[in-house]
Structure formats: structure tokens, C-alpha cells
Amino acid sequence: MSSSRKSKNSLTFIDDINPIHDQNKIKVLILRLWKAYQRDAGNTIEMVLVDEKGSRIHATVEEKNIKKFDSVLKEGDVVTLNPFKLIKYSGDYKSNSLSFKILFYRTTQVKPCDDFPKEVPEKYFVEFGDVSNGSRDTRVFVDVIGQIVNVGPIEDIKIRGKSTPKLDVELRDRGNVRLICTLWADFAKQVKVYTEANPAAVVCVIRCAQVKEWKGNWTISNAMGATRVLLDPPGNFFCRLPTDGVVLTNHDNSELFAGSTVSIRDQFLVKNHKRTVRDIVEALEVDTINLCVILYIHAFEGMCVAMVIVGSVERTSKWYYVSCKMCNKSVEPYPENSGDDGKPPLYYCGVCDKDVSAVVFRYRLVLEVSDATNYKARFLLFDAMGSTLLRRTAQELYNAVSENDPSILPSEIGALVGRRFLFKVSIGGDNLKSDPLHYVVQLFSDDDELIKDYSDGLDSEVLVPLPVTPITKEASVRRGGVSVENPKPPAKKIKIEGKKEESFATT
């Protein structure tokens, strides 16, 4: 008589598990692991497991078996499990939509396995519109990916007599649909610190987020121990997001829920003044004799937008810098043979004041740009802006070039030459802190329709460069102040409305 039992060595994918069998064997990555307490079950170990096809299943270790499995189950490990029990999976919150979950036997074997793909298919991402219209089952957690574009203040909320940090952030997806995400406890503090250090829009991946309704708005939040938040993660996440380089803003929570964000079109066509490259370059003149800065066109301080073509990529300095993984600041290398013993190379971090081996490569990309005025300027893109523009992290590009010659310019960066962009840049005294002079890019777009609308809106004030008074030896600094003798008529002043924005420099 034939037997219906499976071979003990055969593996089953999660989607093919038959709840009737008790000898299912699966190979999974422990995507998330946390300890919980349930009134009816006591202490438990809870896990979200994922197989090679990207399918997930929930697993539980009961209190009576925690001592046996506590030391062998680690988040991030790849293991095979067999045998195990399948029980009904219900409740107010579930990490997947299956009707059953895994319950460990005392006899369940957990064996390590390194044969697992680096990336698995993403099957649980949801569109923001499906959340905001209330069509999602609020009992089942979802995955979302978006850019953090607005950040509220940290609040301390009393929960059961205990103060808990709370942070509201606004995410946008590839269709520019906005969604509010509420983060609690350590997630709130970590995201606040990271966004303050990275002023461009941050790529945010949230796994196992809870869908909730709050004050008539559908939102998401982290839930129990299941949620995992990834900020600017490596991989192919950038292809799911817009590439216009929006900059982070900070609002109070009432403004976040009111949706008071400035659109990309308004950033380029309404809010900021249009300037030529000549206007930008001549907005600041340097008195090289007396080593002082004369601001002739005061109205140009702040932000402006320009339509330019990338002529070249700066090659006198590297397109990246090496930063400490803890504080994000640049580090200093030791001699090249410091890693010859097989260990990662060491660097010195002046901010942390210690030697570190955990480092990340970040963009410091300088583009030489020009326009119809035939003037040239250097526009600087830091890490978040460079990652958004190139849709790859600096670490990924660095790993792709020759280890023997890391100064080689990756083809993705070289392909920027000849492309037309709209750039929003900052102009002010900070521009003179580096040599040669450069302007920090705060926002960009290569959208053809937006570029056309920008071009159609150009007027004579923008097309005709403003006059600039040359600085002479007589126009010198007197008695600690700035005085210009017999100046020519001053350049036309244009009022810039609103609070002056500040540039950011994270190096």
C-alpha cells in the first residue's frame, strides 16, 4: 500500500504547506523575532518567517518550550524547521493572511542553512491609495515603501502611566500619494535622529505595519514587536519611488494631517525664484585682496531654481566619501595595509573619537552645469540626493567598480553628462566654505513636462543677467564693516517672500 507521507528530506514552500500533514519541512529566513506575553498563553516567542518565494508564515514557541529554543532562534538566521504543528491563526492582528500558523513541538528540529537567496520577491507591499481609502483588512499587517517628506515633533504620550515617545511622519509613494505613519518608542527616536542627519527625502521601508483609522484619516503605525523599519536600505527600492529629489520639511502634527505640503511643481514654478547660472555665480563676489565677502545681490541669499545641462562630473575629488555607520560623519583612513590580516580596514572617526570598521560609502557628487548664459557652476549633491538621482546607493556603485582603482567613475554617474535638469539650490555665505565654490542641491527634477512649463514661464527678468558691481581695492573693509566707495548703481533687488531656508552639508 502506498504511503502519503513525504520524504523527510523534501522541502515544502509555505504556499504549498498542507495543514493535514505533521511532517512538513520548510527552509525559511527569520524575518522578525520578538518575545511577547499573552494573558491566556503566558510568555511566548513570536516570529515572522519568509521562504525563498517571498511567502510568509507566523510561528510561535510556547512558554514551556522557550528554554529549549531561545538560544537557537535568532532574527536574520536562515534555518530549516521540521516537524511542527499547524494551528488556527486568528486574532485582532496578524502578520499575514493565512488561516493557520506554526506552533513548535518540543521535538521540532532547527538546523542552520546558508543556501538562501540574498533577496526574495516582495509580495506584501501595498499601494498608499488602498490604505487611505479604508479598503484594507485592519487585522492583517502590511508592508509599505515611501519617502519620508515631512516630520513632526517628538511627543511624550502617557500609556498605562508610562511616558512613550510618539512621532508622526508623512510618506509619499511613487504616485505622490501621501500617507501618515505614526511611530512609537524606539522607532520614533531612531527615525527622528536619522532624518535630522539626512535632510533629503529618506527612503523608508516598513514591514508588518498596522493599518488604523485616526480622526477620520487612515494611517499606519508600528505594531507590537512585529514591525521592522528600514531607512535608506540597500537594494532595488529606489525604482519604486519618484526621482525628483524632494527635501524633508518639518511641521507640527496638525499641519501633517492637514496635508499642507508644497508640491514639486510649486517648488519649481511658484515658491522659488528662477535664476540663470550667471545670476547664481555673480550673486556672491569675493574681495580676494581683503579676504572679505561682499553680498551685492542680497535678495539672492536663500533658495532659487535653475534649468541647466550637466557638462561634466568633477574629477579632482572623489564622488564619494567614507562615513562612520554610527554618526554618519566622514572618517579618516589608516594605511592601506591595515586590512591585510583578513579583518575589515580600520578608520578613525573624530566625532565618535574611536577606531571604527563599520563604515558606509556616501555620495559627495559635484556636477559642473551650464545654461544659455554660457556661465558654469558647480552643483553639489550629498548622499540622499545622489541616491535618489541615481537610484543606487554610493555603496553599491563603489562595490561595482574596480577595487584596485576606486577613483574610476561609474557609468551611472557618467551618464548624467548631457542631461537637462531643474535644480533647486541654496545661495549664501556657506557656499564660500569650500574651494572651488559650489552650491548645494536641495531638490531636482528631470520631468519633461515640468521642464517645459518652467521654460514657458521664463521672463525677461530671468533671461537678462543682472549687473554686478566689480570689487576694487578702494572698495575695502573699513573699521570692521563693509564700505564701498563710489559704487555703481546697485543691482536690482527682488523680494523673496517667506522664511529663508538653510542649506545642509552633512560631511
Side-chain angles (χ1 to χ4, degrees):
M1 183 173 67
S2 62
S3 172
S4 61
R5 295 188 62 181
K6 298 166 69 70
S7 169
K8 66 178 183 178
N9 292 321
S10 62
L11 290 169
T12 301
F13 291 111
I14 289 174
D15 290 340
D16 300 326
I17 286 179
N18 188 337
I20 297 176
H21 296 304
D22 61 359
Q23 286 294 332
N24 292 292
K25 182 179 181 180
I26 58 175
K27 177 172 64 176
V28 290
L29 167 70
I30 303 177
L31 186 67
R32 197 69 171 138
L33 181 148
W34 70 100
K35 294 181 179 179
Y37 176 80
Q38 303 175 32
R39 187 164 49 187
D40 56 342
N43 295 309
T44 62
I45 296 176
E46 305 293 331
M47 288 167 286
V48 179
L49 311 175
V50 61
D51 66 12
E52 297 177 66
K53 290 187 175 181
S55 298
R56 295 178 190 169
I57 192 168
H58 197 94
T60 298
V61 177
E62 294 178 315
E63 186 171 27
K64 63 183 179 181
N65 292 324
I66 287 179
K67 186 175 181 180
K68 176 181 179 182
F69 292 105
D70 192 25
S71 61
V72 297
L73 295 170
K74 303 294 181 184
E75 185 174 302
D77 283 356
V78 176
V79 297
T80 58
L81 301 178
N82 160 261
F84 48 80
K85 185 178 182 179
L86 292 166
I87 64 172
K88 184 178 180 181
Y89 185 30
S90 59
D92 293 334
Y93 303 109
K94 298 170 59 178
S95 61
N96 60 77
S97 59
L98 293 176
S99 61
F100 53 86
K101 70 173 182 176
I102 290 174
L103 183 68
F104 276 53
Y105 290 127
R106 185 168 183 81
T107 57
T108 299
Q109 290 186 335
V110 180
K111 294 184 177 181
C113 177
D114 55 8
D115 180 20
F116 200 82
K118 185 177 180 181
E119 295 184 2
V120 299
E122 299 286 352
K123 302 171 65 172
Y124 297 87
F125 281 128
V126 298
E127 298 293 337
F128 285 11
D130 292 339
V131 175
S132 58
N133 64 17
S135 64
R136 300 297 308 183
D137 183 350
T138 58
R139 296 172 299 174
V140 179
F141 297 154
V142 298
D143 288 2
V144 299
I145 178 171
Q147 291 171 318
I148 300 178
V149 292
N150 287 313
V151 181
I154 286 275
E155 299 179 274
D156 285 322
I157 307 297
K158 291 287 185 181
I159 300 178
R160 297 173 185 173
K162 183 180 179 181
S163 181
T164 304
K166 170 181 173 287
L167 176 70
D168 287 321
V169 301
E170 184 179 31
L171 305 173
R172 70 162 183 168
D173 64 10
R174 57 188 167 188
N176 204 31
V177 178
R178 307 297 176 104
L179 183 66
I180 301 299
C181 173
T182 300
L183 300 169
W184 298 88
D186 289 342
F187 285 129
K189 293 185 287 186
Q190 292 166 4
V191 171
K192 186 68 172 179
V193 170
Y194 189 88
T195 52
E196 286 177 345
N198 297 272
V202 171
V203 176
C204 181
V205 175
I206 304 179
R207 301 195 188 279
C208 296
Q210 179 183 351
V211 178
K212 301 177 68 176
E213 186 179 13
W214 174 250
K215 294 183 178 180
N217 295 288
W218 286 98
T219 67
I220 59 171
S221 70
N222 59 294
M224 304 181 296
T227 302
R228 190 179 185 195
V229 178
L230 307 174
L231 302 175
D232 287 335
N236 297 321
F237 295 111
F238 292 106
C239 65
R240 298 171 177 263
L241 298 169
T243 60
D244 47 30
V246 67
V247 178
L248 267 171
T249 57
N250 292 273
H251 296 290
D252 63 32
N253 289 341
S254 63
E255 287 178 307
L256 283 177
F257 283 98
S260 61
T261 58
V262 178
S263 70
I264 297 299
R265 292 187 64 84
D266 285 349
Q267 288 276 8
F268 285 110
L269 304 181
V270 178
K271 183 180 178 182
N272 298 286
H273 285 281
K274 301 175 181 179
R275 295 290 177 252
T276 66
V277 174
R278 177 178 176 178
D279 291 335
I280 293 172
V281 170
E282 294 185 339
L284 294 177
E285 292 291 332
V286 183
D287 181 350
T288 57
I289 298 176
N290 296 286
L291 300 179
C292 68
V293 179
I294 310 297
L295 300 181
Y296 275 100
I297 307 178
H298 300 284
F300 280 9
E301 289 186 90
M303 301 290 173
C304 68
V305 294
M307 181 177 65
V308 299
I309 293 177
V310 178
S312 64
V313 180
E314 180 66 59
R315 300 298 296 272
T316 58
S317 60
K318 292 181 179 178
W319 51 270
Y320 63 88
Y321 69 97
V322 187
S323 69
C324 173
K325 200 169 185 178
M326 292 299 296
C327 68
N328 295 332
K329 301 303 181 181
S330 59
V331 295
E332 301 172 3
Y334 280 101
E336 292 183 0
N337 59 2
S338 62
D340 288 349
D341 56 359
K343 297 179 181 179
L346 280 178
Y347 298 82
Y348 173 72
C349 177
V351 176
C352 299
D353 192 23
K354 64 179 181 181
D355 292 339
V356 296
S357 58
V359 296
V360 177
F361 287 77
R362 298 180 181 275
Y363 286 109
R364 190 184 184 281
L365 189 61
V366 180
L367 306 179
E368 187 179 79
V369 302
S370 62
D371 62 6
T373 65
N374 292 323
Y375 274 63
K376 296 180 180 179
R378 293 177 174 86
F379 284 5
L380 170 62
L381 294 88
F382 283 112
D383 190 61
M385 199 65 61
S387 297
T388 306
L389 174 63
L390 296 165
R391 297 196 175 194
R392 296 188 68 184
T393 65
Q395 185 74 58
E396 290 173 325
L397 288 191
Y398 178 83
N399 292 339
V401 301
S402 170
E403 294 183 2
N404 296 325
D405 189 5
S407 64
I408 293 176
L409 197 66
S411 58
E412 290 88 342
I413 296 178
L416 296 175
V417 176
R419 290 179 59 185
R420 186 184 302 274
F421 290 96
L422 292 176
F423 282 122
K424 174 185 171 183
V425 297
S426 58
I427 303 178
D430 287 345
N431 291 112
L432 298 176
K433 290 182 178 180
S434 64
D435 187 25
L437 185 66
H438 61 245
Y439 304 86
V440 177
V441 173
Q442 307 282 352
L443 189 67
F444 73 86
S445 177
D446 60 352
D447 181 77
D448 291 338
E449 182 177 349
L450 187 57
I451 290 175
K452 182 180 183 301
D453 291 343
Y454 180 95
S455 301
D456 292 343
L458 292 179
D459 54 31
S460 58
E461 180 180 68
V462 174
L463 293 176
V464 179
L466 299 178
V468 175
T469 303
I471 298 177
T472 65
K473 184 175 181 179
E474 288 74 24
S476 60
V477 177
R478 297 187 177 184
R479 299 176 184 175
V482 177
S483 174
V484 179
E485 295 183 357
N486 301 319
K488 294 181 180 180
K492 180 178 179 181
K493 293 185 178 181
I494 304 169
K495 183 179 180 182
I496 293 182
E497 297 179 354
K499 181 180 178 181
K500 184 180 76 175
E501 299 179 63
E502 295 178 352
S503 64
F504 64 89
T506 57
T507 52

